[in-house]
Amino acid sequence: MRIRHLPETLINRIAAGEVIERPAAVIKELVENSIDAGARRIEVEISDGGRSFMSVTDDGHGMGREDLEAALDRHATSKLPDEDLLNITHLGFRGEALPSIASVSRMRIASHLTGATEAWEISCEGGKKSQVKPSSQAEGTRIEVRDLFYATPARLKFLKTERSEAQAVRDIVQRLAMAAPEVAFRLTINDKAVLTLAPASRAERLAALMGREFGANAMEILAERESIQISGLAGLPTLHKGNGLSQYLFVNGRSVRDRLLLGAIKGAYGDTMARDRYPMATLFITLPAEEVDVNVHPAKAEVRFRDSAHVRGLMVSALRQAIYAQAHQASNSVSYQALSKMAETPPMPSYSPSSLPLSRGARPAVPSSYSYRPAAGLAERSVHVYAPQFDVAPSARHEPVREEVARGEAEYPLGAARAQIHENYIIAQSARGMVIIDQHAAHERLVYEKLKLQQNDRAVLKQGLLTPEIVELGDAAAQNLLAEAACLAAAGLEIEAFGAGAIAVQSIPAVLGDKANIVQLMNDLSDELEEHGTVEGLQDRILAVLSRAACHGSVRSGRRMSAEEMNHLLRQMEATPLSGQCNHGRPTYIELGLEEIEKLFRRR
Ligand code: ADP
Ligand code: MG
C-alpha cells in the first residue's frame, strides 16, 4: 500500500458534492460571482430545470486571459485582500465554486476584461481545461454550464422534477435580487422570461418580489444596537402564509436560512398569529464581519454569530415593537407607555391563546380595540379587550339547554351539550362524566370526512361560480396550482389559466358555501403545494386545506351556537369515523370521567 495524493479533478468533485447539490446551487455561485464583479445587469437562463443548460451573463469587470486560466483552479480567488478568513466582504471567498462546477459539467467561460482590447474564452469538460482562445464576448462575463452531473449518474438521481428544480432556481435568483436591488435581473426559463427586475430601491424590489399584498401590508423594521443593525420589511400579523417560505433572511447581504433567526421571527409574532401560520418577512442583518462566521456551511446557508443571543434579542424586540406599535396605531386609544408600565414581561399586552378567538389557519384580526384602565381592582386588570366582529346569526344566540333533550342525549357517547364557553368549547354531560369539545377542530374533521367520502364515490358536490373568480397569485404559484388542476378538480375545485400569474376559479366544493374566501383558499393551496411539491398524499392535503377553509365559513371558533346546533354537532361526530382527531392529529374532544373529576377535587 502506498499513500498517494488525490488527483485534482477528484478533489474538485468531492468539493462539488458539498456545494453543488442541484442546479440552483450552481446559479447561486455564478450570480454571486457576477455581483462580486460589480455587475449592474445579470441575466440567468436555464433549460430543463437547469439539468441540460444554464447560463449567467453579466456586465461586470470581467476577467483577462490569465484570470481565465486561474479561475478554474482550486482555491484560486481574487477576493482575499487581507488574507483573513474572518474578514470576508465579498460573497465568494473559497475559490471553490468554478472548479467544483466545472468538475461535474461541461463549462464554458467567455469574458471581456474592462478596458482590454480582446476577449477570451475557456472550456472545461469534467474538470479538463481547454486552451484559452479569443472570444467575441462584448463585455462582462458569460458562463455556460451544460449537462450538469453527466459523469456522476448517482447525483443525477437526486435531482427532483424539472419543475421543482426550476422553482429552486427561481427562489435563489429572487433571494439574490432582494439583497442586490441596484442590480437589474432577468431570469429566463425554457426561453420564457419569468422574472424581469429593473434597478430599484430596496423597498420597491421587495414589493416587486414579495407581491403587492405584502407591499401594502408590511411594517418597516429598523433597529440598531451597538454594532448590529436590522432592517427590512415584515408583514402585519394579519398577513400570513401556510408555510415559512416567505421569510427571507440576509446576514451581511447573504441569504441565510438560519434556524435561530427563523425561530426569533416566530417568537416575535407569538400569539398574534395562529400556531400553524407563518408571517412574511424580509430582514437584513448587518454586523461587523468579525462578529459572524459565514464559513460554517459550504453552501453558506448557515451562519454562526459570536453573540447569537444578542442578535436574536434585537430581532425579537425590533419585530415586537413594530407589531405592537401597529396594533396601537390601529386602535388609536391605548397609551403605550401606560401599557408597558402596567404589564409584566413582555412589556406589551400579551395575548394568551385562550383570550383570542383564533382558529388555526384563520386570519387573526388585528385587535380592533384596546382598552386600558389603571389597575384598580381585579375586574379592571384586563389589559386588553378583544372585540371580535363575527356575525352571529340570530338563531345562533345562546339558549338554555332544555332539560328533556339533555336527559335523552346524555345516553350518547358524547353526551348532551350543556354550555359553550369562550365561544369555541362545548361542554357536554355524558353518562360517564363530562366532555369538552373543540367545536372548530370537530367541524373541520367532519367536513374533511364528508369530502373524502364524496371523493371516494367520485361525487364531490361542487358549486359552479356564476362568474369565475380571478385570483392573482404570481407566475410560480399559478403554475404550481395549474399543474395539479386534475387533482383539484377531483376535490370539486376547477381552475383554469387566466393570463400571466393568474387563475380563474370556475367551481368550488359545495361544502365551502357562499362566503368562501377564494383568494385566501388559493393562496393556502399554493403554499401547500410549494412546501410539499407533488408527492403522494396530495389529495388528502388538498382536502385538509379545503375543510379548513370550509370551517372558517361556518362553525369557526368564535361563533356562538344554540343548544340544538351543539347537539347536532355532537351527533354528527359520533357518526363520523376518526372524529376524535382533527386533520392535524390534535384531539377534537377530551373526556373527563366523573371519577377523574372527583379525584381532582380530592373527593376520592
Ligand atoms: P470565489 O468566488 O470564491 O473567489 P470562484 O471559484 O467562484 O471563487 O471564482 C474564482 C474567481 O474567478 C473569482 O475570485 C473571480 O476572480 C473570478 N470570477 C468568477 N466569476 C466571475 C465573473 N462573473 N466576473 C469576473 N470575475 C469572475
Ligand atoms: Mg464565487
Side-chain angles (χ1 to χ4, degrees), residues 29-39 56-58 60-63 67-68 70-80 90-101 109 111 113 140-143 300:
E29 294 296 336
L30 298 184
V31 171
E32 284 187 348
N33 281 345
S34 296
I35 292 173
D36 282 347
V56 173
T57 310
D58 66 54
H61 58 56
M63 286 175 274
D67 296 336
L68 268 188
L72 287 169
D73 291 341
R74 194 169 164 71
H75 299 314
T77 175
S78 56
K79 304 173 190 170
L80 269 182
H90 283 99
L91 291 170
F93 59 86
R94 293 165 165 255
E96 267 180 350
L98 291 185
S100 298
I101 299 165
I109 309 178
S111 196
L113 183 65
T141 303
R142 175 176 171 85
I143 300 188
K300 293 163 273 176

Side-chain angles (χ1 to χ4, degrees), residues 461-475:
L461 298 176
K462 64 184 184 214
Q463 175 186 327
L465 301 179
L466 283 179
T467 48
E469 177 135 353
I470 311 302
V471 183
E472 277 195 43
L473 293 158
D475 249 1

Side-chain angles (χ1 to χ4, degrees), residues 388-407:
Q389 284 154 346
F390 293 129
D391 41 345
V392 178
S395 69
R397 230 171 278 128
H398 196 64
E399 291 161 19
V401 180
R402 274 172 288 133
E403 276 306 316
E404 63 277 19
V405 180
R407 224 171 297 126

Side-chain angles (χ1 to χ4, degrees), residues 142-214:
R142 175 176 171 85
I143 300 188
E144 296 170 354
V145 176
R146 284 179 215 288
D147 306 326
L148 184 67
F149 302 142
Y150 75 96
T152 44
R155 299 202 64 84
L156 262 185
K157 263 197 258 150
F158 282 100
L159 292 187
K160 304 215 176 96
T161 60
E162 174 180 350
R163 195 155 55 88
S164 27
E165 294 302 336
Q167 176 69 36
V169 167
R170 193 190 168 113
D171 180 65
I172 208 76
V173 171
Q174 292 197 356
R175 284 173 187 273
L176 291 158
M178 284 176 177
E182 69 288 352
V183 179
F185 280 88
R186 180 148 80 205
L187 171 62
T188 306
I189 296 181
N190 296 337
D191 294 324
K192 198 176 145 228
V194 298
L195 195 67
T196 310
L197 297 165
S201 70
R202 192 162 81 187
E204 289 166 345
R205 177 63 57 91
L206 293 186
L209 287 169
M210 305 268 295
R212 247 175 298 153
E213 209 193 353
F214 180 74

Side-chain angles (χ1 to χ4, degrees), residues 392-403 405-406 417-420 427 560-567:
V392 178
S395 69
R397 230 171 278 128
H398 196 64
E399 291 161 19
V401 180
R402 274 172 288 133
E403 276 306 316
V405 180
R418 287 286 187 166
Q420 182 195 24
I427 311 283
R560 289 245 183 100
M561 296 172 87
S562 69
E564 279 84 0
E565 285 179 298
M566 291 193 281
N567 280 313

Side-chain angles (χ1 to χ4, degrees), residues 46 146 248 545 587:
I46 65 165
R146 284 179 215 288
Y248 297 91
V545 174

Side-chain angles (χ1 to χ4, degrees), residues 171-346:
D171 180 65
I172 208 76
V173 171
Q174 292 197 356
R175 284 173 187 273
L176 291 158
M178 284 176 177
E182 69 288 352
V183 179
F185 280 88
R186 180 148 80 205
L187 171 62
T188 306
I189 296 181
N190 296 337
D191 294 324
K192 198 176 145 228
V194 298
L195 195 67
T196 310
L197 297 165
S201 70
R202 192 162 81 187
E204 289 166 345
R205 177 63 57 91
L206 293 186
L209 287 169
M210 305 268 295
R212 247 175 298 153
E213 209 193 353
F214 180 74
N217 289 286
M219 313 172 284
E220 193 156 339
I221 306 293
L222 185 61
E224 211 162 351
R225 194 188 285 163
E226 284 149 46
S227 51
I228 306 178
Q229 197 207 49
I230 296 182
S231 64
L233 293 176
L236 290 171
T238 42
L239 184 70
H240 46 76
K241 296 274 220 165
N243 62 40
L245 298 180
S246 295
Q247 297 175 357
Y248 297 91
L249 289 170
F250 300 84
V251 174
N252 287 350
R254 284 168 205 284
S255 169
V256 300
R257 284 206 72 79
D258 185 88
R259 261 192 281 136
L260 170 94
L261 295 177
L262 292 173
I265 297 183
K266 196 166 184 55
Y269 279 78
D271 294 336
T272 62
M273 198 163 279
R275 229 181 313 134
D276 60 352
R277 304 299 294 178
Y278 297 81
M280 297 174 75
T282 309
L283 297 170
F284 299 83
I285 300 172
T286 340
L287 69 179
E290 64 272 12
E291 291 286 324
V292 58
D293 184 2
V294 291
N295 222 344
V296 186
H297 193 269
K300 293 163 273 176
E302 277 168 30
V303 289
R304 188 177 291 150
F305 297 104
R306 184 174 283 181
D307 185 354
S308 59
H310 185 58
V311 177
R312 190 195 146 93
L314 181 60
M315 180 121 148
V316 171
S317 76
L319 286 168
R320 283 233 170 120
Q321 216 142 26
I323 293 167
Y324 290 106
Q326 181 62 39
H328 165 60
Q329 205 180 356
S331 73
N332 253 336
S333 67
V334 173
S335 152
Y336 178 88
Q337 279 167 339
L339 256 183
S340 42
K341 248 186 244 147
M342 150 122 193
E344 299 105 16
T345 40

